[in-house]
Amino acid sequence: MWSHRAWPGHGLPPHERLRDYAARCTAVEGNTTFYATPARQTVANWAEQTDPDFRFVLKLPKTVTHERRLTDVDAPLRAFLDAIEPLGPRADTLWIQLPGSFGPADVATLGRFLRRLPTTHRYAVEVRHPAFFTDTATAAGLEAVLAAVAAEWIPFDTTAFFASPPTSDAERDAWTKKPRLPLRTTALTDRPIVRYLGRDATERTVEGWQRWVDLTVGWLREGRSPTMFVHTPDNADAPTLARRFHDEIRARVPELAPLPEPIPVEPLTLF
C-alpha cells in the first residue's frame, strides 16, 4: 500500500516508496501477502527501508486461510514464514483474516492451527461471520481460543462508513465489498489492533473515530501498545488521517512519542 498513486511517495522510485511511508507512519498493513507470498529478497528490501521498530502487520496468504481453511497448510505456511524472516522484529504481528463463511463450527480448527504456530511471532485474527458479533456464547468461545495462545481479535470498524448511503464512486465500490458487522471494541492482549473505515469527507471520518480516540487513550494508560489503521474508501488521504488520529491521541497523552516528520518528496528529474 505504500505505492498508492495519491500518496507523496508515489513520485519516488519503487524501491524508495516504503522508506518514504515509514517516515510518516510507524506501521503498515501487509495486505499484498494475502495474494502471494513475496520473494525473500523482496522482503529483505522492505527491511532495508525501515527501522527495526517499524511494524508490519502481515496477512497470511489466502492459500492458508481461504482456500485450505487452515487445514493441511504446512508447506505454504512454512514458505511464508521463511520469506518474511528478513524482517526480524519488524514482523510485529501475523494477521489471520478468515472468510465470512468461517463460522462457529470452525473455531476448533482455528484453535488447532493457532496452537501449532511458532511462538516467534504475535498473531491476530479477523473474523467476518456475523455470529461472532451477535451471539455472546459464540464470541466467548472464540475469545477463549485466542486467549489460550495470546492472540488478538482484530475488529474492522465499518459502522461510520455504513451509517448513511454512499455519495461517490469510491464509496459505492466499497459499499459492495466491505463487511457490514456490529462494532467490537474489546482488546484481548497488550497489543490491540484496530482497522477503521471512514468516509470520503474528512469530517465524517474524524467524527466516526472519536470512540477509538477514547479507547486508545484508555489502552495507553493501561500500559497497552495499540496499532490503529485508518482507511477511507479510496485511501487517498489515509497517511495524513493516520497522523491526525495520532495527534488527537497525543493531545490527551502528551508522553506518547510523536510520529516522524517526513522529508518533503522532491519531484523526479533527469539530473
Side-chain angles (χ1 to χ4, degrees):
M1 195 51 160
W2 50 81
S3 292
H4 195 290
R5 185 176 297 276
W7 294 357
H10 185 74
L12 294 170
H15 65 278
E16 291 289 336
R17 293 172 185 170
L18 174 56
R19 191 185 311 278
D20 178 76
Y21 176 93
R24 302 169 188 275
C25 297
T26 55
V28 70
E29 287 183 344
N31 190 56
T32 58
T33 55
F34 176 73
Y35 299 100
T37 294
R40 188 179 171 98
Q41 183 55 54
T42 298
V43 178
N45 292 337
W46 297 349
E48 290 174 3
Q49 294 183 64
T50 53
D51 292 332
D53 58 353
F54 184 83
R55 289 172 289 176
F56 288 82
V57 178
L58 296 170
K59 190 184 291 188
L60 261 61
K62 65 179 179 179
T63 301
V64 173
T65 57
H66 286 56
E67 296 172 6
R68 301 190 183 182
R69 297 172 70 89
L70 310 184
T71 301
D72 190 25
V73 294
D74 287 355
L77 181 61
R78 190 180 308 113
F80 175 76
L81 294 174
D82 179 71
I84 67 170
E85 188 178 9
L87 289 178
R90 299 169 186 83
D92 183 76
T93 302
L94 301 189
W95 168 18
I96 305 164
Q97 185 185 82
L98 297 168
S101 60
F102 197 98
D106 301 301
V107 170
T109 299
L110 173 62
R112 288 191 293 271
F113 175 77
L114 290 172
R115 289 192 297 272
R116 295 182 61 194
L117 292 174
T119 58
T120 48
H121 295 285
R122 295 184 183 89
Y123 301 95
V125 174
E126 181 184 343
V127 291
R128 295 187 171 185
H129 192 288
F132 292 118
F133 300 86
T134 58
D135 183 80
T136 303
T138 298
L142 176 58
E143 288 181 356
V145 165
L146 298 176
V149 293
E152 188 55 82
W153 180 338
I154 301 180
F156 186 15
D157 179 12
T158 60
T159 56
F161 175 73
F162 285 112
S164 59
T167 59
S168 69
D169 288 343
E171 288 189 348
R172 281 186 283 273
D173 182 62
W175 195 267
T176 65
K177 296 177 178 177
K178 301 303 181 183
R180 188 184 306 209
L181 294 166
L183 180 67
R184 176 183 166 82
T185 60
T186 303
L188 301 181
T189 72
D190 64 346
R191 297 291 186 100
I193 300 171
V194 175
R195 307 181 69 223
Y196 167 75
L197 176 64
R199 298 292 296 253
D200 282 344
T202 295
E203 64 273 13
R204 297 280 304 281
T205 299
V206 172
E207 178 186 8
W209 78 32
Q210 291 309 308
R211 65 164 62 92
W212 293 111
V213 171
D214 294 338
L215 286 161
T216 302
V217 167
W219 286 336
L220 288 167
R221 289 174 177 166
E222 293 169 0
R224 303 179 196 254
S225 180
T227 300
M228 180 79 175
F229 293 116
V230 177
H231 293 264
T232 62
D234 63 7
N235 278 321
D237 297 322
T240 301
L241 288 166
R243 293 178 65 86
R244 178 168 175 174
F245 181 87
H246 191 271
D247 288 342
E248 288 197 25
I249 303 299
R250 287 196 73 226
R252 295 174 55 180
V253 187
E255 62 271 25
L256 180 65
L259 290 174
E261 287 300 324
I263 300 172
V265 175
E266 298 293 335
L268 294 176
T269 66
L270 296 177
F271 308 100

